[in-house]
Amino acid sequence: MDNPVLVEVLRGGQVESRHRGAVAVYDADGKPVLALGEVAQPVFPRSAVKGFQALPLIESGAADRYGLTEAEIALCCASHNGEPEHVATALGILVKAGQGPECLECGAHWPMYDAATRKLAGAHGEPTALNNNCSGKHSGFICLACGGLEVDPKGYVGREHPVQQAVRAAMSEITGAAHDVAIAGTDGCSIPTYAVPLEALALGFARFGTGHGVGPERAKAAARIRKAVASAPFMVAGTRRFDTEIMEALRERAFTKTGAEGVFCATFPELGLGLALKIDDGATRAAEVVMAALIARFLTLDDTETAAVQPHLTPVLRNWNRIEVGALRPAGLLSGAAA
């Protein structure tokens, strides 16, 4: 069965392209609230599960041992732009753990935000691992190794390192899905990534948002992570990024997290819901439209919140002369959200 069309791309009032995908919305008891497409199909969630990956950092006591701030905890869940604030915060986390940037095993790339890249290049600088969009998560892994598990952080990206064992256990337990070698791949930042059904990811995010179905310590850790992200949403992404703009408006009403290749996950704690979606062709632009449509569908928004969501729900397309040439819009069963 083909997944349904979730997003249409318009040019001159005509549909030019279509994005297919699947959506799972579940409650913490595992009850489906909305299921579109092949929600039992395993997908690699990539960076969408960084909140889950931060759970051992909190549960082990490492975050308290090093006195991590809410902004620093938020960065540990980030796919950030590599802006100066992100770089400085990642470095600050490492310093608290008595480590330096040389310990990061995520690799280096130019900042994801063009202005930050131009600034760095204009100063004749070169990108370091601190600019990597995953440097916050990796700094958190190093804190977990040193301050929680009390092991050598070297090689912490490896599947059998105690850090990744702890992360794998947390992800398996909260989603209820097996995370083993047979379904493992390697993520862009070199840590393991595991193919998990969308329905299991949605269940995991419902549990993450409510604390139901997990032990009291995990529920407390999840609440602390959500609070940190809501208080410092800039750290999770950055300038002109969906997650930052949406969570600046909604705060603790929604925890959203993008992943590579068209994956997006979220929880709406007040409704007890978890959401997971995957766009077949991996298009981030379509994943953002679908997530905006789900926010508009399930949450009652005030005028300020609506103003934050609307640009992501029907984003305008412009050419190089900044002339409006088209737009994206939700399609099929999601189309009512754009009305």
Side-chain angles (χ1 to χ4, degrees):
M1 181 182 79
D2 288 337
N3 281 327
V5 174
L6 299 178
V7 176
E8 294 174 333
V9 184
L10 304 175
R11 185 176 296 270
Q14 301 298 313
V15 176
E16 182 176 36
S17 301
R18 297 174 176 85
H19 296 282
R20 293 181 179 272
V23 175
V25 181
Y26 277 63
D27 68 18
D29 294 322
K31 178 182 176 182
V33 176
L34 177 67
L36 304 176
E38 295 288 348
V39 298
Q41 180 69 32
V43 304
F44 288 109
R46 308 291 295 276
S47 291
V49 291
K50 284 181 177 175
F52 297 171
Q53 293 168 337
L55 287 167
L57 173 67
I58 307 299
E59 294 168 349
S60 69
D64 287 330
R65 179 173 180 176
Y66 294 129
L68 297 189
T69 65
E70 289 187 331
E72 289 168 338
I73 292 171
L75 193 78
C76 291
C77 305
S79 298
H80 63 73
N81 276 344
E83 297 175 72
E85 299 94 326
H86 301 126
V87 170
T89 303
L91 179 59
I93 294 170
L94 292 171
V95 169
K96 286 183 175 182
Q99 305 295 324
E102 68 279 359
C103 292
L104 292 171
E105 298 179 11
C106 53
H109 64 68
W110 288 96
M112 294 173 63
Y113 185 48
D114 287 346
T117 292
R118 290 194 296 270
K119 182 176 181 179
L120 181 59
H124 304 290
E126 292 288 337
T128 72
L130 290 169
N131 295 108
N132 187 300
N133 74 99
C134 296
S135 66
K137 175 179 74 174
H138 282 247
S139 297
F141 287 158
I142 290 169
C143 285
L144 171 60
C146 297
L149 303 176
E150 298 186 349
V151 297
D152 186 348
K154 186 176 181 180
Y156 67 85
V157 298
R159 291 178 187 171
E160 300 310 314
H161 191 280
V163 164
Q164 294 308 323
Q165 290 182 357
V167 169
R168 181 168 64 243
M171 292 192 297
S172 178
E173 289 166 11
I174 201 166
T175 62
H179 287 58
D180 56 39
V181 173
I183 57 168
T186 302
D187 214 329
C189 64
S190 295
I191 70 164
T193 183
Y194 301 89
V196 179
L198 276 179
E199 56 191 2
L201 290 171
L203 172 62
F205 272 88
R207 291 172 170 174
F208 184 78
T210 63
H212 298 158
V214 300
E217 290 304 312
R218 177 145 299 164
K220 186 187 301 184
R224 183 172 176 185
I225 291 169
R226 297 197 317 271
K227 184 175 183 294
V229 166
S231 72
F234 178 81
M235 289 298 166
V236 178
T239 305
R240 297 179 183 172
R241 293 281 301 281
F242 182 103
D243 287 328
T244 289
E245 292 182 355
I246 292 299
M247 290 192 287
E248 282 179 344
L250 296 177
R251 297 295 172 173
E252 293 191 60
R253 299 192 69 200
F255 177 102
T256 69
K257 186 65 190 70
T258 188
E261 296 298 328
V263 176
F264 225 125
C265 294
T267 179
F268 301 155
E270 69 192 60
L271 301 179
L273 298 180
L275 304 83
L277 67 95
K278 164 71 175 177
I279 301 300
D280 290 351
D281 62 13
T284 296
R285 68 176 186 176
E288 291 179 349
V289 169
V290 175
M291 183 55 70
L294 294 171
I295 291 169
R297 176 171 179 156
F298 287 103
L299 293 176
T300 300
L301 305 176
D302 63 24
D303 290 345
T304 300
E305 293 166 338
T306 298
V309 173
Q310 188 62 42
H312 298 286
L313 182 61
T314 53
V316 171
L317 299 177
R318 299 183 184 277
N319 68 11
W320 293 111
N321 284 322
R322 306 305 299 160
I323 298 170
E324 182 176 334
V325 297
L328 281 74
R329 69 183 182 193
L333 293 177
L334 299 178
S335 60

